[in-house]
Amino acid sequence: LVFLVMLLTLLPVALVVRRREVLMSDTLARLEGRAGGATPRTSQAWALLLLLGVIDACNALAFFQAMQTTSLAVAVLTHYLAPLLVALLAPLVLKERMRPSTLVALATALGGLVLLLRPWSGISGQDVLGAGLGALSAVFYASSVFVGKRLFSSFNAFEVAAWPKMSSVVVLMGAALVNGDAVVESAPLLVLLVGGLVCGSLPMVLFYAGLSRIAASQASVLTLVEPLVAVVVGVVVWGEALHPLGMVGGLCMLGGAAIIARASMVGSAATSTPA
């Protein structure tokens, strides 16, 4: 349901943005007196776009199954192995230069994440299974970053956020039907629908818009702020207690994100300065 809401809200915007791009490209071509305009998309690019939707669906299934199997701390901690995978593999997959600041930020943020979630409070068999599912979701998450980065040569951020939801909905609907629960009460249904818009569509667009502007390894480290936000919401809204180590961990995660943000700004300034 969340992915369906994201599809229905993002796709119209993606179509409008694409139409504007095509019109601007055609207009520019006519003004310059040349043939052509917007570059047509290949069937391979469309196939890769739909593959991204399948990866996103597998990521969601593995992560929420991990949450259902083990504690939130273990599920989130293992899920956020994804930035480590992206940072380590980006030089091989995307040929991105490994910046020392990225490794420092990654180590700082991951260390902070461990302090924030404190998974050592107790590990059981269910925790091991849940950790495995969380790690599996991290693999899918990292894969979606790499695939999404490649798609920006053919699609804009709105399209990368919207079109893959078609294949995601198919995969997730099939999983829901196999699970056997076809009835959802009105109150949880409303939460899912609103959540799909506020916590799904908007963050998805912002993420891919950012990913189209900075390195994949940097974007993945910045996502480590997400569990910090989750803890803050838990404390402020639900009245959950925050351990002093959690406060230290949160500051470490913000420090890691600040290192990445500063490196991105310095890199942008350097590339925009004439030689």
Side-chain angles (χ1 to χ4, degrees):
L1 288 173
V2 169
F3 275 70
L4 181 59
V5 170
M6 294 170 68
L7 173 63
L8 296 177
T9 54
L10 291 174
L11 189 55
V13 180
L15 292 173
V16 170
V17 172
R18 175 57 181 172
R19 178 172 175 78
R20 290 182 59 185
E21 288 181 344
V22 172
L23 291 175
M24 291 178 62
S25 182
D26 291 342
T27 301
L28 183 61
R30 286 196 300 270
L31 291 175
E32 295 178 349
R34 57 181 173 82
T39 305
R41 281 76 177 272
T42 65
S43 56
Q44 182 180 6
W46 281 106
L48 196 62
L49 196 69
L50 294 178
L51 174 62
L52 177 59
V54 176
I55 294 173
D56 285 342
C58 293
N59 174 27
L61 287 172
F63 178 63
F64 286 114
Q65 188 63 47
M67 288 181 61
Q68 203 169 32
T69 303
T70 184
S71 67
L72 180 62
V74 173
V76 172
L77 178 58
T78 52
H79 174 73
Y80 276 93
L81 289 172
L84 175 62
L85 296 176
V86 173
L88 293 178
L89 296 178
L92 297 176
V93 178
L94 299 177
K95 308 303 180 185
E96 293 181 354
R97 182 172 62 89
M98 176 65 74
R99 299 181 180 182
S101 60
T102 299
L103 293 177
V104 173
L106 182 63
T108 303
L110 284 177
L113 183 60
V114 172
L115 293 175
L116 181 68
L117 299 176
R118 300 171 60 244
W120 55 78
S121 344
I123 298 293
S124 64
Q126 286 292 98
D127 290 330
V128 174
L129 176 59
L133 290 167
L136 180 62
S137 73
V139 173
F140 287 121
Y141 188 178
S143 301
S144 70
V145 173
F146 290 130
V147 174
K149 193 69 174 176
R150 289 189 57 182
L151 286 168
F152 290 128
S153 60
S154 302
F155 302 92
N156 61 54
F158 284 97
E159 292 175 305
V160 175
W163 285 109
K165 299 301 174 288
M166 296 183 66
S167 51
S168 296
V169 168
V170 173
V171 173
L172 293 170
M173 186 63 71
L177 292 175
V178 169
N179 191 51
D181 295 328
V183 179
V184 181
E185 296 180 2
S186 58
L189 178 61
L190 181 61
V191 172
L192 287 174
L193 295 179
V194 174
L197 180 62
V198 179
C199 305
S201 298
L202 179 59
M204 182 68 66
V205 170
L206 293 175
F207 175 74
Y208 282 120
L211 185 60
S212 66
R213 289 167 171 79
I214 65 175
S217 55
Q218 294 175 311
S220 64
V221 173
L222 288 172
T223 61
L224 288 170
V225 176
E226 181 181 336
L228 172 61
V229 173
V231 171
V232 172
V233 171
V235 172
V236 175
V237 179
W238 304 111
E240 297 179 351
L242 179 60
H243 193 276
L245 282 179
M247 298 180 186
V248 177
L251 292 175
C252 289
M253 294 174 66
L254 287 177
I259 293 172
I260 288 298
R262 183 178 182 279
S264 299
M265 288 188 291
V266 172
S268 299
T271 54
S272 61
T273 301

